Amino acid sequence: MDDRRTSTSTSTSTSTSTSTSLRLSRRAFITAAGAVGAGFMLYAVMPGGIRVAVAHVPGGALAPADVPKFRTPLLIPPVMPRAGTVAMRGGKNADSYEISVRQFTQQVLPAGMPATTVWGYGAVASTSKKGLLVHHAPSLTIEAKWNRPVRVKWINELVDDDRRFLPHLLPVDPTLHWANPPGGATGRDSRPRFETTPNAYDGPVPIVTHLHGAVGVGDESDGYPEAWYLPAADDIPAGFATEGTWYEFFAGKAGSEHAVAWGTGYAVVDYPNDQRESTLWYHDHTLGMTRLNVYAGPAGFFLVRGGPEGADAILDGRFGTTAVLPGPAPKDGDKFPANKTYHEIPIAVQDRSFNEDGSLFYPDTRALFDGIVGDYLPAGEFSPIWNPEFFGNMIIANGNTWPFQVVEQCRYRLRFLNGCQSRFLILDFSAIPGLEVWQIGNEGGYLDGPVNLSADHAGRLLMGPSERADLIVDFTGVPLGSYVLGNVGPDEPFGGGTPGVDFEPSDAASTGQVMQFRVVPAVAPDPTTPPRYLVLPARTPLPAETSTRSLALIEKSAIGFDAGGRPVDGPTEAVLGVVDAGVPVPLDWDDDVTENPQVGATEVWEFVNTTGDAHPMHVHEVAFEVVGRERLVLDEEGEVAVPVTPAGPMRPPEPWETGVKDSVISYPGEVTRVRLRFARPGQFVWHCHIVEHEDNEMMRPYRVGPEQHGQPGVQVMQGGGVRHRAAPDGSRPVA
């Protein structure tokens, strides 16, 4: 276990122990410490025996230094056009959309360099002649109104012009626990067995879309990883499963509850949007393939606006009147690319690597991570293609490498998303003179109060993968000129601490740069409310919990061999589990459900992190409150001691973690506690949002309420009863 812990009093975390500033070779020898349940970390052994967390940063043939920076204007995603309005059961109207995933080429690199083949969402129907039937990565923004449902027909169109399926752009490891269409009806959604190490899968690609951050959604609409579906291609191989294990059950449920029909290559889902005004995003969630499908491009923003805790409820503390936030944002019918000036801008930050021909690079062998070339499955325990983490060597924002944005000397509202694979970002505004940055919201809506990142947190913002931040960025006092938004997060697994003290920041010439702001004079007085005067909407706290669940974060390791035949310890998978009588118990995706809260229950979940990495933990279906964090007792080897014992004291949530969230950073050697309320029955998931971890067992199903009649895995008995395997509860009463 890495002994660098966090006492996060700033957005960059503060180390509480000795650190090193050694720069590590990207080919540093990897060794492991610990075993299953006792903590695991990747280390590079430096001169003098110093162990430092490290991960190889792979890249394609195109070097970051060969890509010109700040040549491309930031693309501001336009609004996704609606396909119409439909009447829901109960009389409520809903906005309807028809959106597909397609393959196309996009100028991700600067003009004059090769285009990149990507995937992206886009509308295939519109009620308006001005509606943009455009596919892009990231995709167009869905604008939703509070308490007005949205219905989406999500279509898998990964086919060519002759309706033949398109294989994946990236290497698919078929040895994982994954969707596995070749397994047919009995072998789908499984970890297949092979007599020899297989090549990458080259068949049709399954997808299923998840609206990340949606609260109160029916499980049939949540994007369950086993509810995937193949495209309606004419050449699907005989014997392939065309839908996941849960697709048929959810299709029937959608038909009975919402009177909608699913069909070959698509699903129709409903989002109630009765949650707080918030920044959501949608992306693929296919079992064992999320890392690849999302890396190929399909993702987009989904903004919920309005309601009693929306922008109209924000007050100007000077006058008691409604505050004015920066705007406008893109509107339905705006052109693409835009010909308007926007002051509210969503920005998706991702990391990518490229080959010289402009194609996306993603590793096709485990050897790129730590040099292990065997023994691969079935002789050993290592999957041949899966990489434990991936760090691209270039940063893209809204689909372009290192873009620029012209801004006036006034205030802007910037909604950031960390859409990286494994990378923790620490956005660094501190090099922009005269800038003020305030955070007013996170994933679940507005904070309890504005947070001055410039004055109180060194102008830095820590964001784990999938986290969002709603910022007011004030350029009023910034001198005219061009300035770079930096990133001082690491090019390796993050474990907390301070950049330059506990870990080496990102490469200053590449991944340490996000985008450029070009500051020009304001064309008119700024009518917006200075963020220091904003009074954010009051929030009703969740009820007191009635039970607490102690959940384990674990990594498994094994010994492989490098090309020289030397033994190398490395991770084989990351898993979740429960803590039973103080002992972490690992569980796989297909083990029995252990988290089964009752409908209406409020619980505290404890994420007990026995690994050496920080993990961004995401729970579907709910928005939760961060209760706090507490260190765990370590043994003489620096591992989490068993039985697991909190050491105190409890640290409260960070200022930017107030309000409610859907993702939380769980630091190594700590227990992170969140409070959740479960209002709707159904089958959902919780997982780490390092997508390489998620795709190899660091995801678990959970169920609210009883098992549903006819759901997969439930046997219907004579007389209408059900039979199912008993599952451990994993909870304990509150004292």
Side-chain angles (χ1 to χ4, degrees):
M1 171 70 66
D2 185 3
D3 65 353
R4 294 170 301 154
R5 299 289 174 255
T6 61
S7 176
T8 47
S9 59
T10 71
S11 64
T12 58
S13 305
T14 302
S15 173
T16 59
S17 63
T18 304
S19 61
T20 178
S21 60
L22 292 173
R23 179 175 290 276
L24 304 175
S25 165
R26 296 304 180 196
R27 293 285 183 181
F29 182 79
I30 303 294
T31 182
V36 177
F40 171 77
M41 184 57 186
L42 297 178
Y43 291 99
V45 180
M46 304 303 296
I50 299 174
R51 298 186 302 170
V52 182
V54 63
H56 175 58
V57 179
L62 182 62
D66 295 333
V67 179
K69 295 183 179 65
F70 318 130
R71 298 285 185 87
T72 308
L74 179 74
L75 180 127
I76 301 175
V79 172
M80 186 78 74
R82 295 188 299 273
T85 301
V86 295
M88 306 280 288
R89 283 186 172 172
K92 186 177 284 189
N93 287 334
D95 294 325
S96 69
Y97 296 81
E98 295 185 16
I99 301 172
S100 72
V101 175
R102 290 178 181 170
Q103 179 171 297
F104 50 92
T105 58
Q106 181 172 308
Q107 195 64 50
V108 180
L109 298 166
M113 300 191 74
T116 303
T117 300
V118 297
W119 296 346
Y121 292 102
V124 298
S126 173
T127 57
S128 170
K129 293 182 179 180
K130 295 183 179 180
L132 297 170
L133 303 184
V134 174
H135 286 67
H136 194 270
S139 307
L140 281 62
T141 299
I142 297 177
E143 286 275 355
K145 298 178 181 178
W146 177 79
N147 209 30
R148 181 179 176 90
V150 161
R151 173 171 291 171
V152 184
K153 180 180 181 180
W154 296 112
I155 308 166
N156 186 343
E157 283 195 311
L158 292 174
V159 294
D160 64 16
D161 292 339
D162 296 320
R163 304 301 299 177
R164 295 176 299 192
F165 71 81
L166 293 168
H168 215 293
L169 299 175
L170 309 169
V172 178
D173 193 329
T175 69
L176 301 181
H177 193 148
W178 70 299
N180 192 25
T186 59
R188 59 186 171 176
D189 299 317
S190 68
R191 184 185 291 269
R193 296 181 180 274
F194 296 93
E195 294 183 359
T196 59
T197 300
N199 295 322
Y201 168 75
D202 60 1
V205 177
I207 69 164
V208 59
T209 300
H210 166 57
L211 178 55
H212 184 121
V215 176
V217 174
D219 56 359
E220 80 288 340
S221 298
D222 187 52
Y224 195 73
E226 292 184 1
W228 53 265
Y229 44 95
L230 298 183
D234 294 333
D235 61 341
I236 302 296
F240 271 45
T242 56
E243 294 98 15
T245 305
W246 282 73
Y247 178 92
E248 184 177 356
F249 173 75
F250 284 149
K253 188 172 180 179
S256 62
E257 295 191 6
H258 304 294
V260 296
W262 295 13
T264 304
Y266 68 88
V268 183
V269 303
D270 288 272
Y271 307 118
N273 301 319
D274 53 3
Q275 62 197 86
R276 305 176 80 211
E277 181 170 291
S278 49
T279 305
L280 316 182
W281 64 300
Y282 56 95
H283 62 80
D284 180 78
H285 214 287
T286 302
L287 183 68
M289 294 182 66
T290 300
R291 71 198 186 286
L292 304 174
N293 290 0
V294 172
Y295 190 82
F301 284 95
F302 185 116
L303 305 180
V304 179
R305 297 186 188 269
E309 298 178 31
D312 289 344
I314 301 177
L315 299 180
D316 185 324
R318 297 170 298 179
F319 315 114
T321 56
T322 301
V324 179
L325 298 182
K331 303 292 184 184
D332 189 13
D334 287 356
K335 292 184 178 181
F336 179 76
N339 60 353
K340 295 182 178 180
T341 298
Y342 300 117
H343 286 239
E344 180 188 331
I345 305 172
I347 303 176
V349 181
Q350 299 165 300
D351 56 348
R352 296 289 186 269
S353 295
F354 300 88
N355 299 306
E356 286 185 338
D357 63 359
S359 61
L360 291 168
F361 168 83
Y362 192 88
D364 62 358
T365 171
R366 166 60 182 258
L368 282 171
F369 180 78
D370 53 13
I372 291 177
V373 299
D375 290 333
Y376 292 146
L377 294 173
E381 298 182 54
F382 294 93
S383 291
I385 299 174
W386 176 77
N387 278 240
E389 284 100 12
F390 176 78
F391 298 85
N393 59 13
M394 303 188 207
I395 297 294
I396 66 173
N398 284 358
N400 291 107
T401 53
W402 297 299
F404 70 87
Q405 174 64 29
V406 175
V407 294
E408 300 173 25
Q409 288 176 311
C410 60
R411 286 178 280 274
Y412 285 75
R413 183 180 186 182
L414 305 181
R415 299 178 187 244
F416 280 96
L417 158 69
N418 181 348
C420 297
Q421 301 288 111
S422 303
R423 180 183 296 276
F424 283 71
L425 298 169
I426 302 178
L427 300 181
D428 188 3
F429 295 87
S430 64
I432 305 177
L435 188 73
E436 278 196 17
V437 182
W438 294 72
Q439 184 169 350
I440 62 170
N442 54 27
E443 303 92 77
Y446 295 111
L447 304 179
D448 291 347
V451 177
N452 189 337
L453 297 177
S454 296
D456 302 329
H457 304 287
R460 291 174 173 177
L461 172 64
L462 170 65
M463 298 183 70
S466 85
E467 287 191 305
R468 283 89 72 202
D470 193 348
L471 306 181
I472 304 294
V473 182
D474 191 347
F475 293 92
T476 302
V478 178
L480 305 181
S482 298
Y483 306 93
V484 174
L485 170 61
N487 165 45
V488 293
D491 284 327
E492 61 189 38
F494 178 67
T498 302
V501 177
D502 298 294
F503 57 83
E504 192 73 22
S506 295
D507 179 49
S510 57
T511 51
Q513 301 180 58
V514 177
M515 60 179 291
Q516 182 189 68
F517 294 112
R518 298 181 179 178
V519 182
V520 301
V523 299
D526 191 340
T528 65
T529 304
R532 64 175 53 86
Y533 299 118
L534 294 177
V535 180
L536 302 179
R539 176 179 59 86
T540 303
L542 294 178
E545 64 273 15
T546 56
S547 63
T548 296
R549 296 181 187 271
S550 192
L551 308 171
L553 282 56
I554 302 167
E555 284 189 358
K556 296 182 178 181
S557 65
I559 295 177
F561 299 91
D562 65 13
R566 294 177 292 269
V568 180
D569 252 337
T572 59
E573 63 186 24
V575 300
L576 302 173
V578 298
V579 179
D580 183 6
V583 178
V585 179
L587 296 169
D588 289 332
W589 163 254
D590 59 356
D591 283 324
D592 289 337
V593 167
T594 50
E595 290 69 61
N596 182 205
Q598 298 307 301
V599 177
T602 301
E603 299 185 348
V604 163
W605 285 16
E606 299 178 334
F607 298 121
V608 176
N609 190 346
T610 70
T611 80
D613 292 349
H615 297 271
M617 299 306 300
H618 172 48
V619 184
H620 286 214
E621 176 63 13
V622 297
F624 52 72
E625 297 172 345
V626 179
V627 177
R629 298 177 175 89
E630 190 173 359
R631 293 173 178 238
L632 299 171
V633 173
L634 305 181
D635 61 22
E636 294 180 354
E637 300 297 323
E639 308 292 340
V640 172
V642 177
V644 171
T645 306
M650 172 86 89
R651 297 198 315 278
E654 302 294 349
W656 54 88
E657 293 179 320
T658 61
V660 294
K661 291 173 58 64
D662 61 50
S663 301
V664 66
I665 298 174
S666 173
Y667 290 100
E670 293 190 351
V671 53
T672 300
R673 298 182 177 94
V674 299
R675 181 179 293 109
L676 320 90
R677 185 174 184 273
F678 304 92
R680 185 160 186 166
Q683 184 97 353
F684 305 98
V685 300
W686 63 285
H687 59 86
C688 172
H689 220 285
I690 294 174
V691 286
E692 281 75 22
H693 293 182
E694 169 187 345
D695 273 351
N696 194 3
E697 299 295 351
M698 204 167 193
M699 178 167 63
R700 287 282 293 151
Y702 82 91
R703 185 177 63 252
V704 181
E707 288 182 329
Q708 301 170 74
H709 187 84
Q711 74 172 59
V714 177
Q715 299 177 355
V716 179
M717 303 169 60
Q718 285 188 337
V722 297
R723 175 181 298 164
H724 54 83
R725 292 179 296 174
D729 183 82
S731 66
R732 65 178 187 271
V734 172

